[in-house]
Amino acid sequence: MSEDKIIDGKAFAAGLRGRVAEKVAALKAAKGVTPGLAVVLVGEDPASQVYVRNKAKQTVECGMESFEHRLSPETSQEELLALVETLNADARVHGILVQLPLPKQIDANAVINAITPAKDVDGFHVVNAGRLMTGAGKPMVPCTPLGCLMLLKDRLGDLSGKNAVVVGRSNIVGKPMAQLLLDANATVTIAHSRTADLPGVCRQADILVAAVGRPEMVKGDWVKPGATVIDVGINRIETPEGKGKLVGDVAFEEAVQVAGAITPVPGGVGPMTIACLLANCATAAYRAAGLEDPEL
Ligand code: GUN
């Protein structure tokens, strides 16, 4: 296996964070504005606590201001909506992220759609989803698919005419990923758990994006020789020795033998998500200051 088959998302994300930090410094110098990111965590989900801590640390490292709001697991929908309204009205806050999943007494869609679209750095608001889908107006693009697209363009250059298969149809990854690939002139198939002959469909792909949340579901013989494989999955499994281990949605050891290029787990797509969140927050602050989007 040659090392250059591995798409190093960790290194790319570090470079992107460096570029974000430069744009943040330039905005401060030009307009006296410091981009601010508010992260809201409801409850005590351990994985979410880790994400939120990492987000806050990297936000500050990029020169942006971080506002953290930790609410009890019993928080009502009204209380959370009231906090979102406060953040919408706060000029120091350019990006708002409400960490998902939310406790079951809260309607996640109602909360997401209460965020001002210009501050919706997750790109989950219906207005941003609609802008992405139609090309009408500038959307905030969801962070994980945006990160995948950056890695693909970095590796492959022009994506025109390539056959892309996205496995998974979530609003957070699968659907926006398909739209971004379509906008880049790829020929796109969205496959999912009910797709007939899923392995055969995947074998058609020059670009295969796996975003299903099932450990090592995509096998080596589902991959077309030379294809570029992007693994969005982050699944914690137990090894036969009883230890915890992170694996993707792709059976890496098999797939790497066949693929032309592949993202590892960890160290592939994962680090790109937070880096793209910071990029979106910088973009939101530039827009709020009446400037063109920064080139990142
Ligand atoms: N939970 C896990 N990943 C994400 C994300 O990218 N955004 C939000 N809001 N919640 C998450």
Side-chain angles (χ1 to χ4, degrees):
M1 186 206 7
S2 68
E3 276 304 308
D4 63 12
K5 274 195 181 187
I6 307 297
I7 298 174
D8 187 347
K10 195 171 166 201
F12 193 96
L16 177 56
R17 290 198 303 273
R19 296 192 292 280
V20 171
E22 285 170 15
K23 297 298 180 186
V24 167
L27 182 63
K28 275 187 209 175
K31 296 276 183 181
V33 171
T34 302
L37 174 64
V39 175
V40 181
L41 174 61
V42 185
E44 280 142 17
D45 178 57
S48 293
Q49 286 183 331
V50 175
Y51 284 137
V52 167
R53 209 176 314 129
N54 286 336
K55 280 170 195 162
K57 181 167 168 279
Q58 294 184 23
T59 303
V60 172
E61 282 170 2
C62 279
M64 307 201 278
E65 213 170 342
S66 171
F67 304 94
E68 252 182 83
H69 296 266
R70 291 170 180 264
L71 308 181
S72 94
E74 286 84 39
T75 301
S76 70
Q77 179 154 328
E78 289 66 33
E79 287 168 306
L80 184 53
L81 288 172
L83 174 58
V84 168
E85 279 313 316
T86 305
L87 297 172
N88 281 342
D90 188 338
R92 298 168 306 160
V93 172
H94 301 92
I96 302 170
L97 178 143
V98 179
Q99 184 71 24
L100 303 176
L102 287 166
K104 40 183 188 318
Q105 73 273 17
I106 295 173
D107 174 355
N109 275 325
V111 174
I112 288 165
N113 290 317
I115 298 170
T116 297
K119 296 190 178 189
D120 167 38
V121 282
D122 263 325
F124 295 165
H125 192 289
V126 288
V127 164
N128 283 316
R131 285 179 181 153
L132 180 62
M133 179 65 77
T134 59
K138 284 187 181 163
M140 278 285 147
V141 177
C143 304
T144 300
L146 180 59
C148 294
L149 184 77
M150 287 181 183
L151 294 179
L152 282 167
K153 285 190 167 167
D154 183 59
R155 179 55 68 128
L156 297 173
D158 185 12
L159 308 184
S160 287
K162 300 213 181 282
N163 273 333
V165 174
V166 179
V167 190
R169 51 179 157 175
S170 69
N171 289 330
I172 294 177
V173 184
K175 285 188 230 172
M177 184 78 253
Q179 187 62 46
L180 290 172
L181 288 163
L182 189 61
D183 290 345
N185 300 314
T187 303
V188 184
T189 302
I190 305 180
H192 46 78
S193 55
R194 307 283 179 92
T195 294
D197 186 20
L198 183 55
V201 171
C202 290
R203 267 194 295 274
Q204 302 294 314
D206 305 312
I207 294 167
L208 180 58
V209 181
V212 280
R214 287 175 178 264
E216 302 181 320
M217 187 180 93
V218 175
K219 307 299 180 200
D221 64 1
W222 297 24
V223 176
K224 175 174 164 177
T228 303
V229 179
I230 302 290
D231 189 349
V232 179
I234 301 178
N235 310 288
R236 187 168 288 282
I237 61 164
E238 212 170 288
T239 62
E241 300 83 49
K243 287 204 201 130
K245 182 186 173 200
L246 285 186
V247 298
D249 292 348
V250 177
F252 180 85
E253 294 302 333
E254 296 175 21
V256 73
Q257 309 295 330
V258 192
I262 185 168
T263 59
V265 176
V269 173
M272 290 300 292
T273 298
I274 297 184
C276 286
L277 172 71
L278 303 175
N280 277 351
C281 194
T283 298
Y286 269 68
R287 289 179 187 174
L291 299 173
E292 288 295 314
D293 287 3
E295 291 258 349
L296 293 161

